């Protein structure tokens, strides 16, 4: 975010429970402030220039658009934390990103080149892919809405332009910034995801040249060029130039999608896990996020320049893992805790050239092998720690210590039907889910006593687990249950919920097999099934509140929290009731309702 200024006499002191501490900037949509939550977390608060009180339909549309925007996965984006269209004026609260906008950085320091420009392209394409996957169109993607943080580029203000356009009190006509608007926007069409790809091409061209490809003079002149003339791509060369040019096609049907752009940028043969890989590469290139200063010539970057950072991320062997922490023991110590065996040494993976490319020619394409190096620590771990009473040694986040009586198909066989076998141990029997549901939800809302969590589910990779969650939610299985376990061990930081007995040993009257565990990584916000061993999944799940790279991939990942992680953070900060690093949370949190959609 730009540097903040002191609040002015007429500025509010707080909005929606957030204390305002400074002024970030003003624009056509509203005024942006730096704010703080009750816990001290910094946020960006946008007070909108809109009044929905006179138009209930506009307010409904606004709330619908914002609900979709809050489902966007946090890959290279600044997630929306809260919003209220019922206040006067309405406001939106999002994660605060420390760092300048792409617009300001290029104006202050100069254009981007080489790996730095490629890293920007990858990060922003990753963000747009995540936004589009949630069914949202940004509609105002431009350099001012790309912030360059220490963790890579982050896209802000997605899903807001159309929401604000639902009321005539904010703007009329086409939504967007003329120099980055697609021809269909200029012509007055609402358009879809392809208009964001047009804006992406304009933004990358701006980063490379210091000016947008259709000029910066009068609005009529810019619009005429957008509609009828070819773009000026200036210094862009090679594959990136070709990719940007394809995004600037006049016909939206001829533009690639964000996933296709990301696939080409990464040199991937398929679309598996592209968002995670794109986010990782963008983070690796962020160590030198500022362009070379004007007195530096291209190619003579200092030793910490992003080009070298990217090369090191792709070719250098991974750093040796830290010494393993002591295992976490459950309250009471009724079992013998497992220990971490030392990870096996492994050689650094070598990037493989993409088909049709010469070895050593990185250019635009980035090998996935370099990104995968970050997962080597988790791959070398074969032991874990129990997270509840009564489970067998050698497990991880457990979900009841029950033994499955039947084998469930893997995720790849789920189209043949999910099988749910009977469970042993404490159970609340509500029946079993249908083996072949007509449809599966893509999202879940978890209402708790401390706030709301929005979860983006992955029914394609964990259909039987998502089917089970939807079934239990429909039976009000989780209502009134308390999240019973908090672990703050140095290698494992999770909040575990979903046991109606509150002891960590209970669940439904069935179990099912594991899905979606191959190569998974448990990053912050991951939602995964807890179990007591292979194929013993039930109702218990855990939320990772800090990255857990040492947790072995044996717990099925069902989704990711896209909004509300501050609720989990609040519980984590309070610690356990006993003051240890594993036990019942001191800050009680109870699930009031779980809904899937």
């Amino acid at each position: 975010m730009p540097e903040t200024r002191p609040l002015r006499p007429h500025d509010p002191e707080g909005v929606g429970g957030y204390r305002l501490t400074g002024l970030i900037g003003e624009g056509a949509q509203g005024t942006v402030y730096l704010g703080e939550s009750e816990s001290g977390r910094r946020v960006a608060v946008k007070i909108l220039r809109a009044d929905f009180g006179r138009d209930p339909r506009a307010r409904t549309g606004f709330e619908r658009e914002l609900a979709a925007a809050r489902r966007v996965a946090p890959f290279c984006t600044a997630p929306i934390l809260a919003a209220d269209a019922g206040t006067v004026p309405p406001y939106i609260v999002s994660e605060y990103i420390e760092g300048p906008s792409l617009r300001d950085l290029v104006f202050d320091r100069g254009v981007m080149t080489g790996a730095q420009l490629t890293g920007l392209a990858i990060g922003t394409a990753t963000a747009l892919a995540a936004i589009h996957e949630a069914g949202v169109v940004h509609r105002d993607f431009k350099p001012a809405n790309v912030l360059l943080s220490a963790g890579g580029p982050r896209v802000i203000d997605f899903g807001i332009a159309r929401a604000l356009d639902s009321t005539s009190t904010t703007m009329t006509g086409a939504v967007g910034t003329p120099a980055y608007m697609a021809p269909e926007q200029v012509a007055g069409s609402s358009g879809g995801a392809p208009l964001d790809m047009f804006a992406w091409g304009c933004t990358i061209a701006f980063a490379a040249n210091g000016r947008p490809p259709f000029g910066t003079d009068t609005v009529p002149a810019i619009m005429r060029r957008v509609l009828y003339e070819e773009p000026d791509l200036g210094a862009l060369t090679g594959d990136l130039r070709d990719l940007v040019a394809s995004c600037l096609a006049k016909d939206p049907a001829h533009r690639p999608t964000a996933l296709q752009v990301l696939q080409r940028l990464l040199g991937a043969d398929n679309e598996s896990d592209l968002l995670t890989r794109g986010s990782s590469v963008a983070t690796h290139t962020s160590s030198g996020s500022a362009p070379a200063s004007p007195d530096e010539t291209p190619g003579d970057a200092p030793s910490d320049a992003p080009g070298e950072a990217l090369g090191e991320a792709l070719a250098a062997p991974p750093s040796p893992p830290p010494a393993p922490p002591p295992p976490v023991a459950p309250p009471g110590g009724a079992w013998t805790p497992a220990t971490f065996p030392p990870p096996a040494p492994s050689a650094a993976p070598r990037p493989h050239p993409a088909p049709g490319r010469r070895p050593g020619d990185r250019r635009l394409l980035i090998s996935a092998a370099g990104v995968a190096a970050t997962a080597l620590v988790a791959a070398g771990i074969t032991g874990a720690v129990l997270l509840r009473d009564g489970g067998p040694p050698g497990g991880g986040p457990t979900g009841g210590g029950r033994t499955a009586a039947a084998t469930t198909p893997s995720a790849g066989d789920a189209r043949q039907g999910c099988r749910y076998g009977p469970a042993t141990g404490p159970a609340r029997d509500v029946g079993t889910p249908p083996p072949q549901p007509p449809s599966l939800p893509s999202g879940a809302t978890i209402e708790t006593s401390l706030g709301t969590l929005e979860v983006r589910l992955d029914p394609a990779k964990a259909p039987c687990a998502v089917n089970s969650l939807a079934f239990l939610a429909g039976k009000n299985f989780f209502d009134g249950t308390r999240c019973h376990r908090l672990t703050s061990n140095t290698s494992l930081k999770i909040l575990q919920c979903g046991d109606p007995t509150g002891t960590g040993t209970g669940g439904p009257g069935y179990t099912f097999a594991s899905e979606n565990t191959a190569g998974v990584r448990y990053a912050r916000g991951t939602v995964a099934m807890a179990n007591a061993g292979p194929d013993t999944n039930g109702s218990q799940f855990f939320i990772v509140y800090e990255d857990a790279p040492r947790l072995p991939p044996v717990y099925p990942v069902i989704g990711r929290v896209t909004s509300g992680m501050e609720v989990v953070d609040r519980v984590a900060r309070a610690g356990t009731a006993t003051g240890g690093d594993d036990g019942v949370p001191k800050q009680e949190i109870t699930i009031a309702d779980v809904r899937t959609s």
Side-chain angles (χ1 to χ4, degrees):
M1 287 283 184
E3 184 176 346
T4 59
R5 291 169 284 166
L7 294 176
R8 300 160 298 190
H10 64 276
D11 287 324
E13 296 180 354
V15 172
Y18 294 90
R19 184 173 67 91
L20 304 185
T21 61
L23 174 66
I24 294 177
E26 293 183 280
Q29 296 177 350
T31 305
V32 184
Y33 297 93
L34 176 63
E36 283 187 356
S37 67
E38 292 181 355
S39 64
R41 179 183 184 180
R42 294 204 295 177
V43 297
V45 180
K46 174 173 279 191
I47 297 181
L48 304 172
R49 303 185 195 283
D51 182 2
F52 297 104
R54 301 177 182 177
D55 191 346
R57 289 184 300 175
R59 174 177 172 177
T60 300
F62 179 81
E63 291 174 338
R64 183 172 57 249
E65 292 292 331
L66 285 178
R70 293 179 72 171
R71 292 196 297 268
V72 173
F75 292 103
C76 301
T77 61
I80 295 174
L81 305 177
D84 194 340
T87 62
V88 180
Y91 66 88
I92 299 171
V93 181
S94 62
E95 180 180 337
Y96 177 79
I97 306 300
E98 185 74 39
S101 71
L102 173 62
R103 174 185 179 275
D104 291 343
L105 197 103
V106 169
F107 284 162
D108 292 342
R109 298 291 305 275
V111 300
M112 292 185 172
T113 60
Q116 182 186 38
L117 183 61
T118 302
L120 172 73
I122 291 172
T124 50
T126 299
L128 286 178
I131 290 168
H132 295 165
E133 191 168 286
V136 176
V137 181
H138 194 298
R139 301 184 187 279
D140 196 20
F141 184 84
K142 57 187 177 183
N145 282 335
V146 177
L147 302 183
L148 302 176
S149 72
R154 305 283 288 276
V155 174
I156 63 172
D157 275 1
F158 48 87
I160 304 304
R162 181 175 179 180
L164 290 179
D165 192 46
S166 63
T167 172
S168 61
T169 62
T170 54
M171 56 189 76
T172 58
V175 176
T177 302
Y180 300 91
M181 287 170 61
E184 59 267 32
Q185 283 178 290
V186 172
S189 170
S190 60
L195 64 85
D196 284 346
M197 301 318 298
F198 190 95
W200 179 86
C202 292
T203 297
I204 300 305
F206 167 85
N209 299 303
R211 63 184 186 278
F214 296 100
T216 58
D217 47 353
T218 65
V219 170
I222 294 171
M223 290 185 170
R224 176 179 52 80
R225 296 187 195 104
V226 167
L227 287 171
Y228 306 113
E229 296 184 12
E230 293 302 311
D232 177 9
L233 299 184
L236 278 171
T237 59
D239 288 346
L240 186 55
R241 183 186 180 98
D242 294 341
L243 191 54
V244 167
S246 67
C247 288
L248 296 179
K250 305 297 185 186
D251 186 346
H254 294 163
R255 297 172 205 150
T257 66
L259 279 176
Q260 289 170 336
V261 167
L262 188 57
Q263 190 173 3
R264 285 180 59 182
L265 287 167
L266 294 173
D269 294 330
N270 54 59
E271 294 184 1
S272 175
D273 209 23
L274 282 180
L275 298 185
T276 299
R277 293 162 56 196
S279 181
S280 177
V281 171
T283 300
H284 278 308
T285 61
S286 67
S287 60
S289 57
S293 59
D295 57 351
E296 293 171 355
T297 58
D300 294 332
S303 60
D304 62 347
E308 292 191 18
L310 177 61
E312 292 170 1
L314 292 175
S319 301
V328 179
W335 50 274
T336 303
T339 58
F340 288 102
S346 55
R350 292 181 177 272
H352 297 283
R357 298 194 177 276
R358 299 183 301 276
D361 182 9
R362 287 198 194 104
R363 289 191 291 172
L364 176 63
L365 304 182
I366 297 180
S367 169
V371 180
T374 60
L376 290 179
V377 174
I381 303 297
T382 57
V385 282
L386 285 175
L387 293 184
R388 65 157 191 83
D389 298 325
T398 60
R402 302 179 302 280
T403 302
T407 301
T408 307
S410 66
D413 298 327
R415 61 183 179 275
Q416 301 176 7
C418 299
R419 291 198 296 272
Y420 300 94
T424 60
R428 178 185 167 193
D429 193 356
V430 292
T432 56
Q436 291 181 311
S439 62
L440 290 172
S442 59
T445 299
I446 304 175
E447 300 283 356
T448 78
S449 56
L450 301 180
T452 302
L453 301 173
E454 297 288 347
V455 178
R456 175 176 167 267
L457 300 175
D458 197 340
K461 294 183 179 179
C464 297
V466 171
N467 182 38
S468 173
L469 178 69
F471 172 78
L472 293 175
K475 297 290 185 178
N476 299 321
F477 184 90
F478 300 103
D479 295 6
T481 62
R482 178 179 177 179
C483 293
H484 59 274
R485 193 169 199 104
L486 177 71
T487 303
S488 58
N489 181 267
T490 54
S491 64
L492 187 60
K493 297 180 183 290
I494 70 162
L495 176 66
Q496 191 166 335
C497 312
D499 176 14
T501 71
T503 65
T505 62
Y510 61 85
T511 56
F512 55 95
S514 296
E515 313 164 289
N516 193 21
T517 57
V520 300
R521 287 174 287 176
Y522 302 93
R524 171 177 163 83
T526 297
V527 182
M529 297 301 301
N531 57 51
D535 303 340
T536 61
N537 304 285
S539 62
Q540 294 188 42
F541 61 90
F542 62 91
I543 301 170
V544 182
Y545 62 88
E546 285 189 20
D547 293 356
R550 300 183 65 83
L551 186 61
V554 295
Y555 307 103
V557 173
I558 61 173
R560 177 174 294 277
V561 175
T562 59
S563 175
M565 278 300 294
E566 67 273 12
V567 173
V568 182
D569 293 338
R570 178 179 173 184
V571 178
R573 282 193 299 270
T576 65
T578 61
D581 64 2
D582 181 30
V584 176
K586 182 178 180 180
Q587 171 63 66
E588 181 174 342
I589 175 172
T590 301
I591 295 176
D593 182 42
V594 176
R595 302 185 302 276
T596 58
S597 60

